[in-house]
Amino acid sequence: GAGVSQTPSNKVTEKGKYVELRCDPISGHTALYWYRQSLGQGPEFLIYFQGTGAADDSGLPNDRFFAVRPEGSVSTLKIQRTERGDSAVYLCASSFGRGNYEQYFGPGTRLTVT
Amino acid sequence: GQNIDQPTEMTATEGAIVQINCTYQTSGFNGLFWYQQHAGEAPTFLSYNVLDGLEEKGRFSSFLSRSKGYSYLLLKELQMKDSASYLCAVREDTDKLIFGTGTRLQVFP
């Protein structure tokens, strides 16, 4: 498995519930990014990790969204008290490091909040 | 503010050439990327420009003019499999990508 993997591929949850989305980056990639994509739109930046620390979390829409990357590899995006407007495809990407490196995207997690 | 504009939809014929334009206004600039995205799949990297000029890679070429805030993606010898969305994205100073809404290209036989 050389690519970025994300689990689950699909998640259906009820409004108000808590969800966790997981991302496994490409081995050796120190930079990890979360985006979300609504139908017919381009990906929207959420948060960027360099190693274990969040280098830029300016895209997180509110404090219901939180992400961690405790060991500098796998990352988890956590959404509390989900709302119907959170429904989207959540994409994870990784890159070799800072600078002008290509970002490799995972297949995404499709989140549906009912 | 941040603004990236590209046409919503385009159509073309198999074997033809198509140019997808992108204009941008961002608070920082550290390169422009083009990604291809087939329906239901992840975006895949096509090209990267940081200096003015044309970058050619097989059937695909990408052009950048930083002074004009303008880029285009040129696809030659179109194939049916080129039917996809094409995303223009600007890398800002903190490495995050700001994407346009994407251009949905349909190639007809």
Side-chain angles (χ1 to χ4, degrees):
Chain A
V4 178
S5 62
Q6 293 186 245
T7 54
S9 55
N10 279 284
K11 176 71 178 178
V12 180
T13 190
E14 292 180 347
K15 179 176 177 294
K17 299 290 189 182
Y18 168 82
V19 296
E20 289 189 354
L21 311 179
R22 176 187 167 107
C23 172
D24 277 276
I26 293 172
S27 178
H29 281 193
T30 60
L32 185 146
Y33 310 79
W34 283 100
Y35 298 84
R36 73 175 173 182
Q37 186 173 27
S38 300
L39 193 63
Q41 301 295 313
E44 173 193 7
F45 171 78
L46 296 177
I47 186 169
Y48 154 51
F49 288 90
Q50 180 60 42
T52 60
D56 185 347
D57 64 358
S58 62
L60 294 177
N62 51 60
D63 61 6
R64 295 187 298 106
F65 288 74
F66 188 70
V68 295
R69 194 185 185 200
E71 298 178 358
S73 179
V74 170
S75 175
T76 304
L77 178 66
K78 308 180 181 191
I79 310 174
Q80 299 177 325
R81 304 184 303 280
T82 52
E83 300 177 357
R84 292 194 179 89
D86 299 335
S87 296
V89 175
Y90 288 80
L91 294 167
C92 176
S94 70
S95 70
F96 190 70
R98 295 210 68 176
N100 299 322
Y101 290 104
E102 173 189 346
Q103 293 184 20
Y104 294 82
F105 282 82
T109 293
R110 181 176 298 278
L111 176 66
T112 303
V113 182
T114 62
Chain B
Q2 303 167 338
N3 195 35
I4 299 179
D5 287 320
Q6 47 182 133
T8 304
E9 289 195 9
M10 297 183 71
T11 59
T13 306
E14 199 174 12
I17 299 173
V18 70
Q19 177 174 313
I20 303 174
N21 296 323
C22 172
T23 58
Y24 63 89
Q25 288 179 310
T26 55
S27 55
F29 182 84
N30 195 17
L32 187 141
F33 292 76
W34 284 95
Y35 279 82
Q36 180 191 60
Q37 187 176 29
H38 285 98
E41 298 183 9
T44 55
F45 170 81
L46 288 178
S47 69
Y48 166 71
N49 296 69
V50 67
L51 301 176
D52 288 356
L54 187 68
E55 293 284 339
E56 297 188 78
K57 189 189 270 191
R59 294 189 300 117
F60 293 2
S61 303
S62 57
F63 172 83
L64 175 67
S65 169
R66 289 174 298 172
S67 62
K68 295 181 180 177
Y70 167 70
S71 173
Y72 68 72
L73 179 69
L74 193 71
L75 293 77
K76 304 174 187 175
E77 301 169 14
L78 280 173
Q79 302 175 9
M80 297 296 290
K81 67 178 182 179
D82 297 331
S83 294
S85 287
Y86 291 85
L87 301 164
C88 172
V90 170
R91 185 196 292 277
E92 291 200 327
D93 298 334
T94 59
D95 286 355
K96 68 186 181 189
L97 293 179
I98 307 299
F99 283 88
T101 56
T103 298
R104 186 181 170 198
L105 173 66
Q106 292 190 20
V107 179
F108 293 99

